[in-house]
Amino acid sequence: MREYLLTLCIVAAVTYLLTGPVRKFAIAAGAMPEIRARDVHREPTPRLGGIAMFGGLCAGLLVAAHLTNLKDVFETSNEPRALLSGAGLIWLLGVLDDKWGVDALIKLGGQMIAAGVMVLQGLTILWLPVPGVGPVSLTPWQGTLLTVALVVITINAVNFVDGLDGLASGMVCIAAAAFFMYAYRIWFGYGLEAAAPATLFAAVLMGMCLGFLPHNAHPARIFMGDSGSMLIGLVLAAGAISITGQVDPDAMKLFAGSETAAVHATVPVYIPLLLPLTVIAVPFADLVLAIVRRTWRGQSPFAADRGHLHHRLLEIGHSHSRAVLIMYFWSALIAFGAVAYSVNSAGVWFVLAIVALSAVGLVLLLLPRFTPRVPQWAEAFVPPRYRRRVATAQAAEPVAPAREQTEPEHREQPERPAPEPLPTGLNGATAIGDRSRFPHRRKIGTPQ
C-alpha cells in the first residue's frame, strides 16, 4: 500500500507542477479556441492540459518500475507497456485535436487503433463470467472486439462529460478511487497477483486527476482538452480490462456451494465491468436525453445545444460549483455503491443507506437557492459566500447617516466618474491583453 500511495503522490505532484508551464505553452501556441454558443465559460481558456497529465503518467510508471514490490508488475506482465503505448497514441491524437482540430471519424479511428495496440501487447479480455455457468472463454476476435468497444465507449463517455470546470477530472477521480479499493481488495484479500496491474493503473489515474484538478477547478485556468479527457478515459478502461481479462474467477473459488451463494459470491467478478459504467451512467443518461430532445425538434442527433444536464443545473439556479458537486455526489454514490455491493450484496442496511443518500441527492437538486451557512469558528476555512453577513451588514448601516450629518447642507458632492471596465482576457493571465499589473498605482500623499 505504501508504494501505491507513493506512486499516487508522485503522479499528482508531477502533474500539478507541469500544468503551469503547459498553460503558458498553450497560450503561446495559440491553443485557445473561440467560445462557442454551448460553452459555459466566458473567457478564452487554453487547452492542452493533457500534456501535463501524460507527463504524470510517465513519471508514475517510471517510479513504480524501480520500487521493491511494484517492479514485479513490469517483470511478470506486459500490461504497463501496453498501457503506455496506447496512451501515447491517444495523447498525440488529442494534442493535434486541441491545436488544429481533428475530424470525428479520424478521432474514432485513432481510438480504435490505440485500443488495438493494447490488444496486440496482451491487454485484452480473455473470458467473461456467466452466472450458473462460470467463466466463458472468448475467441481472439471476440475478445478484441469487446476490448475495443469498451475502450472507445469509455473514452467518449469521459470526453462527453467534460462540460464544466473540474467535472470530468473529479468524476474520473471518484471512479478511480472506487476501482482502486476494489482492485486492491482482489489483490490483497484473495492473494491474486494478476490484479496488481489494475491496482497500479487506478493509483496512477487518481494521481493524474488530483494533480490537474486544482488548475481546472472553477474558474478554470486551463482545460484538459481532448488530450486529457481521452487519456484518462483510456487509462480507466485499461484497468477494467486488465482485472477482467487476467484474473481467473476459478482462482477466487467463488463457484462452490449452492447456486444462490454462487450468485452472491460472483458479484466481485462483475464489478470491473460495471465500474466504467459508473462514469458512463450520468453522461449516458445525458446522451440519451440529448438524442431524444434533438430528434423531437427535428434536428440532427449530433447538433450541439445547451440542454445537457450540467446546463439544466445552471438554468434552474445552481451555481457552477454546486452543479459540479451534485454531479460528484451522484458519481460517488454509484461508484462506491457498486464496490460496497460487491463486499456485502445481501445486507438490508446497505439498501437503506443507498435509498437515504439518493433522497439527499434529490433534495439537493430541488434547493438551488439554498446557501448553507457555517459556524463562526469555521468561516476562515470556507469561501466568503458561505459566511454569515449579519454582523457586516449591521456595522455598515449607520455609516451613511453619520456622514450625512457631518456634511454641510449647501455643499454639493461632485459626481465621480464611472470606473473604467477592466479589459477581458484570460482568467488571471497577464501574458495576453493590456491589463496593467498595478492598476491603482498613485503617488504618495495624493488621495486615491
PDB file of all heavy atoms in Angstrom, residues 183-204:
ATOM      1  N   ALA A 183      -9.847  -3.233  -6.694  1.00  0.00           N
ATOM      2  CA  ALA A 183      -8.700  -3.975  -7.207  1.00  0.00           C
ATOM      3  C   ALA A 183      -7.735  -4.352  -6.093  1.00  0.00           C
ATOM      4  O   ALA A 183      -7.172  -5.464  -6.077  1.00  0.00           O
ATOM      5  CB  ALA A 183      -7.977  -3.152  -8.279  1.00  0.00           C
ATOM      6  N   TYR A 184      -7.531  -3.446  -5.124  1.00  0.00           N
ATOM      7  CA  TYR A 184      -6.636  -3.767  -4.013  1.00  0.00           C
ATOM      8  C   TYR A 184      -7.224  -4.877  -3.153  1.00  0.00           C
ATOM      9  O   TYR A 184      -6.494  -5.721  -2.622  1.00  0.00           O
ATOM     10  CB  TYR A 184      -6.386  -2.514  -3.171  1.00  0.00           C
ATOM     11  CG  TYR A 184      -5.372  -2.723  -2.068  1.00  0.00           C
ATOM     12  CD1 TYR A 184      -4.019  -2.709  -2.349  1.00  0.00           C
ATOM     13  CD2 TYR A 184      -5.778  -2.948  -0.752  1.00  0.00           C
ATOM     14  CE1 TYR A 184      -3.077  -2.901  -1.345  1.00  0.00           C
ATOM     15  CE2 TYR A 184      -4.852  -3.137   0.259  1.00  0.00           C
ATOM     16  CZ  TYR A 184      -3.500  -3.121  -0.048  1.00  0.00           C
ATOM     17  OH  TYR A 184      -2.575  -3.323   0.941  1.00  0.00           O
ATOM     18  N   ARG A 185      -8.538  -4.907  -3.012  1.00  0.00           N
ATOM     19  CA  ARG A 185      -9.172  -5.985  -2.252  1.00  0.00           C
ATOM     20  C   ARG A 185      -8.975  -7.316  -2.958  1.00  0.00           C
ATOM     21  O   ARG A 185      -8.721  -8.350  -2.314  1.00  0.00           O
ATOM     22  CB  ARG A 185     -10.655  -5.679  -2.079  1.00  0.00           C
ATOM     23  CG  ARG A 185     -11.437  -6.787  -1.388  1.00  0.00           C
ATOM     24  CD  ARG A 185     -12.857  -6.349  -1.097  1.00  0.00           C
ATOM     25  NE  ARG A 185     -13.634  -7.443  -0.535  1.00  0.00           N
ATOM     26  CZ  ARG A 185     -14.445  -8.216  -1.245  1.00  0.00           C
ATOM     27  NH1 ARG A 185     -14.593  -8.008  -2.552  1.00  0.00           N
ATOM     28  NH2 ARG A 185     -15.123  -9.186  -0.668  1.00  0.00           N
ATOM     29  N   ILE A 186      -9.102  -7.343  -4.277  1.00  0.00           N
ATOM     30  CA  ILE A 186      -8.894  -8.590  -5.025  1.00  0.00           C
ATOM     31  C   ILE A 186      -7.437  -9.022  -4.913  1.00  0.00           C
ATOM     32  O   ILE A 186      -7.136 -10.219  -4.740  1.00  0.00           O
ATOM     33  CB  ILE A 186      -9.296  -8.400  -6.495  1.00  0.00           C
ATOM     34  CG1 ILE A 186     -10.790  -8.115  -6.603  1.00  0.00           C
ATOM     35  CG2 ILE A 186      -8.935  -9.636  -7.317  1.00  0.00           C
ATOM     36  CD1 ILE A 186     -11.689  -9.224  -6.122  1.00  0.00           C
ATOM     37  N   TRP A 187      -6.512  -8.065  -5.001  1.00  0.00           N
ATOM     38  CA  TRP A 187      -5.081  -8.415  -4.966  1.00  0.00           C
ATOM     39  C   TRP A 187      -4.645  -8.833  -3.566  1.00  0.00           C
ATOM     40  O   TRP A 187      -3.959  -9.843  -3.388  1.00  0.00           O
ATOM     41  CB  TRP A 187      -4.260  -7.217  -5.444  1.00  0.00           C
ATOM     42  CG  TRP A 187      -2.782  -7.394  -5.273  1.00  0.00           C
ATOM     43  CD1 TRP A 187      -1.969  -8.246  -5.975  1.00  0.00           C
ATOM     44  CD2 TRP A 187      -1.938  -6.729  -4.328  1.00  0.00           C
ATOM     45  NE1 TRP A 187      -0.675  -8.141  -5.538  1.00  0.00           N
ATOM     46  CE2 TRP A 187      -0.616  -7.219  -4.519  1.00  0.00           C
ATOM     47  CE3 TRP A 187      -2.156  -5.763  -3.355  1.00  0.00           C
ATOM     48  CZ2 TRP A 187       0.454  -6.767  -3.763  1.00  0.00           C
ATOM     49  CZ3 TRP A 187      -1.089  -5.321  -2.609  1.00  0.00           C
ATOM     50  CH2 TRP A 187       0.200  -5.826  -2.816  1.00  0.00           C
ATOM     51  N   PHE A 188      -5.052  -8.079  -2.547  1.00  0.00           N
ATOM     52  CA  PHE A 188      -4.601  -8.361  -1.186  1.00  0.00           C
ATOM     53  C   PHE A 188      -5.484  -9.402  -0.489  1.00  0.00           C
ATOM     54  O   PHE A 188      -4.987 -10.295   0.194  1.00  0.00           O
ATOM     55  CB  PHE A 188      -4.584  -7.064  -0.372  1.00  0.00           C
ATOM     56  CG  PHE A 188      -4.058  -7.222   1.022  1.00  0.00           C
ATOM     57  CD1 PHE A 188      -2.697  -7.334   1.248  1.00  0.00           C
ATOM     58  CD2 PHE A 188      -4.922  -7.282   2.108  1.00  0.00           C
ATOM     59  CE1 PHE A 188      -2.200  -7.488   2.537  1.00  0.00           C
ATOM     60  CE2 PHE A 188      -4.438  -7.436   3.398  1.00  0.00           C
ATOM     61  CZ  PHE A 188      -3.072  -7.542   3.602  1.00  0.00           C
ATOM     62  N   GLY A 189      -6.809  -9.300  -0.682  1.00  0.00           N
ATOM     63  CA  GLY A 189      -7.714 -10.203   0.020  1.00  0.00           C
ATOM     64  C   GLY A 189      -7.679 -11.621  -0.511  1.00  0.00           C
ATOM     65  O   GLY A 189      -7.683 -12.589   0.255  1.00  0.00           O
ATOM     66  N   TYR A 190      -7.632 -11.746  -1.840  1.00  0.00           N
ATOM     67  CA  TYR A 190      -7.616 -13.070  -2.452  1.00  0.00           C
ATOM     68  C   TYR A 190      -6.213 -13.526  -2.826  1.00  0.00           C
ATOM     69  O   TYR A 190      -6.024 -14.659  -3.271  1.00  0.00           O
ATOM     70  CB  TYR A 190      -8.504 -13.088  -3.701  1.00  0.00           C
ATOM     71  CG  TYR A 190      -9.969 -12.936  -3.402  1.00  0.00           C
ATOM     72  CD1 TYR A 190     -10.577 -11.685  -3.433  1.00  0.00           C
ATOM     73  CD2 TYR A 190     -10.758 -14.033  -3.088  1.00  0.00           C
ATOM     74  CE1 TYR A 190     -11.927 -11.532  -3.166  1.00  0.00           C
ATOM     75  CE2 TYR A 190     -12.110 -13.903  -2.824  1.00  0.00           C
ATOM     76  CZ  TYR A 190     -12.689 -12.651  -2.863  1.00  0.00           C
ATOM     77  OH  TYR A 190     -14.032 -12.499  -2.591  1.00  0.00           O
ATOM     78  N   GLY A 191      -5.229 -12.661  -2.691  1.00  0.00           N
ATOM     79  CA  GLY A 191      -3.855 -13.050  -2.998  1.00  0.00           C
ATOM     80  C   GLY A 191      -3.587 -13.285  -4.467  1.00  0.00           C
ATOM     81  O   GLY A 191      -2.753 -14.130  -4.815  1.00  0.00           O
ATOM     82  N   LEU A 192      -4.262 -12.563  -5.348  1.00  0.00           N
ATOM     83  CA  LEU A 192      -4.095 -12.733  -6.791  1.00  0.00           C
ATOM     84  C   LEU A 192      -3.176 -11.644  -7.325  1.00  0.00           C
ATOM     85  O   LEU A 192      -3.536 -10.461  -7.344  1.00  0.00           O
ATOM     86  CB  LEU A 192      -5.453 -12.680  -7.493  1.00  0.00           C
ATOM     87  CG  LEU A 192      -6.472 -13.758  -7.080  1.00  0.00           C
ATOM     88  CD1 LEU A 192      -7.760 -13.589  -7.843  1.00  0.00           C
ATOM     89  CD2 LEU A 192      -5.895 -15.153  -7.297  1.00  0.00           C
ATOM     90  N   GLU A 193      -1.990 -12.047  -7.753  1.00  0.00           N
ATOM     91  CA  GLU A 193      -1.024 -11.080  -8.279  1.00  0.00           C
ATOM     92  C   GLU A 193      -1.466 -10.499  -9.617  1.00  0.00           C
ATOM     93  O   GLU A 193      -0.968  -9.445 -10.024  1.00  0.00           O
ATOM     94  CB  GLU A 193       0.341 -11.747  -8.430  1.00  0.00           C
ATOM     95  CG  GLU A 193       0.968 -12.180  -7.122  1.00  0.00           C
ATOM     96  CD  GLU A 193       1.330 -10.991  -6.240  1.00  0.00           C
ATOM     97  OE1 GLU A 193       1.510  -9.888  -6.784  1.00  0.00           O
ATOM     98  OE2 GLU A 193       1.418 -11.171  -5.007  1.00  0.00           O
ATOM     99  N   ALA A 194      -2.382 -11.175 -10.306  1.00  0.00           N
ATOM    100  CA  ALA A 194      -2.839 -10.668 -11.604  1.00  0.00           C
ATOM    101  C   ALA A 194      -3.624  -9.371 -11.470  1.00  0.00           C
ATOM    102  O   ALA A 194      -3.816  -8.658 -12.465  1.00  0.00           O
ATOM    103  CB  ALA A 194      -3.689 -11.723 -12.318  1.00  0.00           C
ATOM    104  N   ALA A 195      -4.089  -9.055 -10.264  1.00  0.00           N
ATOM    105  CA  ALA A 195      -4.824  -7.809 -10.053  1.00  0.00           C
ATOM    106  C   ALA A 195      -3.907  -6.633  -9.754  1.00  0.00           C
ATOM    107  O   ALA A 195      -4.387  -5.509  -9.637  1.00  0.00           O
ATOM    108  CB  ALA A 195      -5.831  -7.979  -8.910  1.00  0.00           C
ATOM    109  N   ALA A 196      -2.602  -6.866  -9.618  1.00  0.00           N
ATOM    110  CA  ALA A 196      -1.674  -5.779  -9.291  1.00  0.00           C
ATOM    111  C   ALA A 196      -1.597  -4.716 -10.395  1.00  0.00           C
ATOM    112  O   ALA A 196      -1.557  -3.517 -10.071  1.00  0.00           O
ATOM    113  CB  ALA A 196      -0.288  -6.346  -8.999  1.00  0.00           C
ATOM    114  N   PRO A 197      -1.552  -5.071 -11.701  1.00  0.00           N
ATOM    115  CA  PRO A 197      -1.515  -4.001 -12.716  1.00  0.00           C
ATOM    116  C   PRO A 197      -2.727  -3.080 -12.666  1.00  0.00           C
ATOM    117  O   PRO A 197      -2.589  -1.865 -12.800  1.00  0.00           O
ATOM    118  CB  PRO A 197      -1.440  -4.779 -14.033  1.00  0.00           C
ATOM    119  CG  PRO A 197      -0.845  -6.088 -13.675  1.00  0.00           C
ATOM    120  CD  PRO A 197      -1.365  -6.394 -12.314  1.00  0.00           C
ATOM    121  N   ALA A 198      -3.917  -3.655 -12.477  1.00  0.00           N
ATOM    122  CA  ALA A 198      -5.115  -2.812 -12.410  1.00  0.00           C
ATOM    123  C   ALA A 198      -5.067  -1.889 -11.199  1.00  0.00           C
ATOM    124  O   ALA A 198      -5.499  -0.730 -11.274  1.00  0.00           O
ATOM    125  CB  ALA A 198      -6.364  -3.692 -12.365  1.00  0.00           C
ATOM    126  N   THR A 199      -4.542  -2.367 -10.082  1.00  0.00           N
ATOM    127  CA  THR A 199      -4.396  -1.518  -8.900  1.00  0.00           C
ATOM    128  C   THR A 199      -3.432  -0.374  -9.176  1.00  0.00           C
ATOM    129  O   THR A 199      -3.665   0.772  -8.764  1.00  0.00           O
ATOM    130  CB  THR A 199      -3.906  -2.351  -7.711  1.00  0.00           C
ATOM    131  OG1 THR A 199      -4.702  -3.531  -7.593  1.00  0.00           O
ATOM    132  CG2 THR A 199      -3.995  -1.562  -6.424  1.00  0.00           C
ATOM    133  N   LEU A 200      -2.337  -0.672  -9.872  1.00  0.00           N
ATOM    134  CA  LEU A 200      -1.378   0.373 -10.230  1.00  0.00           C
ATOM    135  C   LEU A 200      -1.999   1.394 -11.174  1.00  0.00           C
ATOM    136  O   LEU A 200      -1.804   2.604 -11.015  1.00  0.00           O
ATOM    137  CB  LEU A 200      -0.147  -0.267 -10.877  1.00  0.00           C
ATOM    138  CG  LEU A 200       0.918   0.689 -11.407  1.00  0.00           C
ATOM    139  CD1 LEU A 200       1.497   1.539 -10.288  1.00  0.00           C
ATOM    140  CD2 LEU A 200       2.019  -0.086 -12.131  1.00  0.00           C
ATOM    141  N   PHE A 201      -2.775   0.931 -12.156  1.00  0.00           N
ATOM    142  CA  PHE A 201      -3.416   1.855 -13.095  1.00  0.00           C
ATOM    143  C   PHE A 201      -4.385   2.785 -12.365  1.00  0.00           C
ATOM    144  O   PHE A 201      -4.458   3.985 -12.677  1.00  0.00           O
ATOM    145  CB  PHE A 201      -4.163   1.073 -14.175  1.00  0.00           C
ATOM    146  CG  PHE A 201      -3.276   0.238 -15.051  1.00  0.00           C
ATOM    147  CD1 PHE A 201      -3.815  -0.747 -15.866  1.00  0.00           C
ATOM    148  CD2 PHE A 201      -1.906   0.423 -15.058  1.00  0.00           C
ATOM    149  CE1 PHE A 201      -3.007  -1.513 -16.675  1.00  0.00           C
ATOM    150  CE2 PHE A 201      -1.078  -0.352 -15.862  1.00  0.00           C
ATOM    151  CZ  PHE A 201      -1.639  -1.330 -16.675  1.00  0.00           C
ATOM    152  N   ALA A 202      -5.128   2.249 -11.391  1.00  0.00           N
ATOM    153  CA  ALA A 202      -6.076   3.084 -10.650  1.00  0.00           C
ATOM    154  C   ALA A 202      -5.352   4.136  -9.815  1.00  0.00           C
ATOM    155  O   ALA A 202      -5.787   5.290  -9.732  1.00  0.00           O
ATOM    156  CB  ALA A 202      -6.956   2.203  -9.759  1.00  0.00           C
ATOM    157  N   ALA A 203      -4.223   3.755  -9.190  1.00  0.00           N
ATOM    158  CA  ALA A 203      -3.461   4.717  -8.395  1.00  0.00           C
ATOM    159  C   ALA A 203      -2.893   5.832  -9.282  1.00  0.00           C
ATOM    160  O   ALA A 203      -2.920   7.012  -8.918  1.00  0.00           O
ATOM    161  CB  ALA A 203      -2.339   3.999  -7.647  1.00  0.00           C
ATOM    162  N   VAL A 204      -2.375   5.458 -10.449  1.00  0.00           N
ATOM    163  CA  VAL A 204      -1.833   6.455 -11.382  1.00  0.00           C
ATOM    164  C   VAL A 204      -2.936   7.387 -11.873  1.00  0.00           C
ATOM    165  O   VAL A 204      -2.752   8.610 -11.975  1.00  0.00           O
ATOM    166  CB  VAL A 204      -1.134   5.749 -12.555  1.00  0.00           C
ATOM    167  CG1 VAL A 204      -0.778   6.748 -13.646  1.00  0.00           C
ATOM    168  CG2 VAL A 204       0.125   5.035 -12.068  1.00  0.00           C
TER     169      VAL A 204
END
